[in-house]
Amino acid sequence: MKLQKHYALLILLTLLSCNKNTVSEQFDKDFKENRWQRSDIKTYSFTITDATKNYDLIFDFSYVDGYQFATVPIKIEIENPDKTITVKNFALKIKDDTGKQTGECDGDYCDISYCVWPNTHLTPGNYTVKVSNNFQAGYLPNIIGVGIKVNITQ
């Protein structure tokens, strides 16, 4: 039954990925033993061609249901076409103040999408995004995957 749910979710995600408002969508699931090592910096690249639009840069985070931490410290760096770098550190909220998970869960997996830079003007060119965790230990446990999405702001 769980396998059927995952196939249905995969089909839904495939259909959603055809969204013409999505400029780029990249997701990594290569976490040995579901551990995101602190030293493992994920790197993504995308290209902006339309200077007349604004964009949302979204961080996607997938984890095992029942996650033990209320927040996860994340660092995102974006290198702009002119080679300037913008950094944002934030605590991704996994649980609200009552202890309820904020992610959307299906079976044993939960997903959170967090808009890091909403409604932002991006100049045309190539961008590089680096994502890392600032967890105090050597790794974050129970991680399924992380990624970024760049959408045209609606």
Side-chain angles (χ1 to χ4, degrees), residues 1-153:
M1 187 67 166
K2 284 184 182 182
L3 191 56
Q4 289 175 338
K5 284 183 183 180
H6 287 18
Y7 283 128
L9 180 62
L10 180 62
I11 290 169
L12 177 63
L13 289 174
T14 301
L15 291 173
L16 291 174
S17 69
C18 296
N19 183 345
K20 57 187 166 192
N21 293 320
T22 300
V23 173
S24 178
E25 185 170 11
Q26 302 166 62
F27 194 77
D28 282 309
K29 300 182 293 186
D30 60 342
F31 296 99
K32 187 176 180 183
E33 298 177 3
N34 292 349
R35 295 176 175 179
W36 185 9
Q37 301 296 323
R38 186 175 175 144
S39 61
D40 184 11
I41 299 170
K42 301 298 181 185
T43 303
Y44 309 99
S45 297
F46 64 93
T47 302
I48 295 297
T49 57
D50 190 344
T52 66
K53 299 193 179 344
N54 283 356
Y55 300 88
D56 299 324
L57 189 133
I58 300 163
F59 172 64
D60 289 324
F61 185 79
S62 184
Y63 60 95
V64 176
D65 189 17
Y67 203 68
Q68 63 267 48
F69 304 111
T71 61
V72 173
I74 301 293
K75 177 182 179 182
I76 295 186
E77 296 181 16
I78 184 168
E79 182 180 310
N80 302 295
D82 65 2
K83 302 302 180 194
T84 60
I85 295 175
T86 304
V87 178
K88 183 161 186 181
N89 291 291
F90 60 95
L92 184 66
K93 197 169 194 175
I94 306 296
K95 297 178 183 179
D96 65 18
D97 295 336
T98 67
K100 182 181 176 203
Q101 293 188 109
T102 60
E104 301 219 4
C105 299
D106 181 27
D108 295 338
Y109 303 99
C110 300
D111 300 308
I112 294 176
S113 290
Y114 174 75
C115 193
V116 180
W117 282 289
N119 197 19
T120 302
H121 178 74
L122 298 175
T123 59
N126 297 320
Y127 290 81
T128 301
V129 177
K130 293 182 180 180
V131 179
S132 57
N133 76 71
N134 287 329
F135 192 60
Q136 292 177 354
Y139 64 87
L140 267 173
N142 298 320
I143 305 301
I144 305 299
V146 298
I148 64 156
K149 201 174 344 186
V150 181
N151 291 339
I152 298 170
T153 302

